[in-house]
Amino acid sequence: MPTKTYKNLIGAEQLAPRTGKYYINTSPADTRDVVGNFPASGPEDVDAAVRAAHHAYKTWRLVPAPKRAEILYKTGELLTERKERYAQEMTREMGKVLAETRGDVQEAIDTAFYMAGEGRRMFGQTTPSELRNKFAMSVRMPVGVIGMIAPWNFPMAIPSWKIFPSMVCGNTCVIKPAEDTPLSTYNLVQTMLDAGLPPGVVNIVSGFGPDAGAPLVEHPLVRAISFTGSSEVGRMVGAKAASLFKPCSLEMGGKNAMIVMDDANLDLAVEGALWGSFGTTGQRCTATSRILVHKKIAGEFSKQLVKRAKALRVGDGLDEKIQMGPQINQQQSETAQRYVAIAREEGAKLLCGGNVMDKGAHKHGFFFEPTIFGGVKPKMRIAQEEVFGPVVVLMEFSSFNEAIEIANGIQYGLSTSLYTKNVNQAFEAMRDLEAGITYINAPTIGAEVHLPFGGVKQTGNGHREGGTGALDFYTTWKSVYVDYSDKLQRAQIDTGE
């Protein structure tokens, strides 16, 4: 069967890249499996897509929000029908197991239905005026053309977090999918077109960051930027957007802590640690990468977790029996290897894993053993820096306050977790943990679409995706005053009345 070649989607037309260049996208589970050829676009392609979005904005912003929402609702219905096919294709290009890719598509479905409901809300305010015979209110207005840069680990869910609230608010957009996982974004946008989305409202430019991402950020007709990815790239995106006075939503790294108190349900905590650490092969910004365990139970917890990690079935995610898939590419595998070496040099104790899996069924993919380090100190690099792979560290503590201090002692602040039966400590943790998300008796992963998603400190810049927090980024406020007194009235002027 010949390899399919994809083109950029600009104004609902399939257009070959002006660069004339394509790149081959292969499965991380088996690099002999070619998913497709995708455009390696350049600035001219970005310009064409942005201009298509700018043209579409002139009419799209005037479509009533409930009508825009109907397209989203239809998108949700079509995604539901196509869920299994899209999940299979996502596992091929991204690697995570089918149970997870089905969840990824489901999150896009949930976001579609939720944001469709916002088409009949998007509430503003009405307030009393300080003057007689005057009406005062505020309304949400669309921003314009939005530039979007998406990551590879949730290649349909996260684009849906960006595209769906943006379009229901009346914006148009250009999205650059991650070069490792473009197909899922193509599937998402094609579904929207099938649901009746007009040409140019959503455009796709495929390519690499310096060639396609940077021109998108810098384009003068792009009014705002939404970026999800590494802190290193996010810092550059944020700096460029700031220099151009563009609103910019940044969702970046995490080094998330799970605290296990001595009164915790040990079996539940081990189950949560296993899923939080090795779900998506540890390639989540919310992954449980630090496990803080009370010293009274540390030995037993460590013993059980290591036993469970060693038993995980690692392989091609298309096999329903597999529990953990590959890393996304060679670079991520090398990063995991590098941090294993760093941890050993720092004096951490390797409890299991630590090796590339490149024999037998694993020899054509980017597989890495589930890896656990013990004896880790809070200031070690392995406890401070994001690995973004199946590597987790165990640290012991003696008191609840010490655990909170260790958990907060990092540059990130995305997700946190506490396992305890003590309701007082649970509420203290909810108050004191420096993070955008806190779970009680659950791992650090698993966001729900109707709540805001994002973090504090160097995880992001204060904006949120999901829930009504997304509407706050994809709209601007306009205050409206209607004076029906039929005479000049001067607000904020002392008239003595």
Side-chain angles (χ1 to χ4, degrees), residues 255-261 288-295 297-298 301 378 383 392-397 399-400 402-408 417-419 433:
K255 192 69 177 176
N256 310 292
M258 170 203 244
I259 300 171
V260 185
M261 297 301 298
T288 303
S289 52
R290 298 181 296 153
I291 303 176
L292 285 51
V293 189
H294 196 286
K295 66 179 183 179
I297 60 168
F301 180 92
V392 65
V393 302
L394 299 180
M395 293 183 280
E396 295 185 19
F397 64 86
S399 68
F400 175 76
E402 181 188 3
I404 296 293
E405 183 178 353
I406 293 171
N408 289 341
S417 167
L418 173 70
Y419 280 78
L433 286 170

Side-chain angles (χ1 to χ4, degrees), residues 256-335:
N256 310 292
M258 170 203 244
I259 300 171
V260 185
M261 297 301 298
D262 55 337
D263 68 336
N265 179 329
L266 195 62
D267 291 340
L268 179 65
V270 169
E271 196 75 33
L274 195 74
W275 170 232
S277 302
F278 304 119
T280 322
T281 320
Q283 299 172 129
R284 292 179 182 232
C285 55
T286 56
T288 303
S289 52
R290 298 181 296 153
I291 303 176
L292 285 51
V293 189
H294 196 286
K295 66 179 183 179
K296 291 182 179 179
I297 60 168
E300 183 60 26
F301 180 92
S302 175
K303 178 182 175 181
Q304 290 192 28
L305 182 61
V306 168
K307 180 180 178 181
R308 293 289 301 278
K310 287 182 176 179
L312 286 174
R313 295 185 293 274
V314 181
D316 189 336
L318 290 171
D319 182 345
E320 295 277 10
K321 296 178 182 178
I322 292 298
Q323 296 169 295
M324 192 181 90
Q327 292 194 267
I328 186 66
N329 54 35
Q330 182 66 31
Q331 179 182 346
Q332 289 301 128
S333 179
E334 290 173 355
T335 297

Side-chain angles (χ1 to χ4, degrees), residues 411-425:
Q411 63 180 332
Y412 302 109
L414 181 53
S415 186
T416 48
S417 167
L418 173 70
Y419 280 78
T420 184
K421 296 176 183 176
N422 186 323
V423 67
N424 293 343
Q425 288 183 341

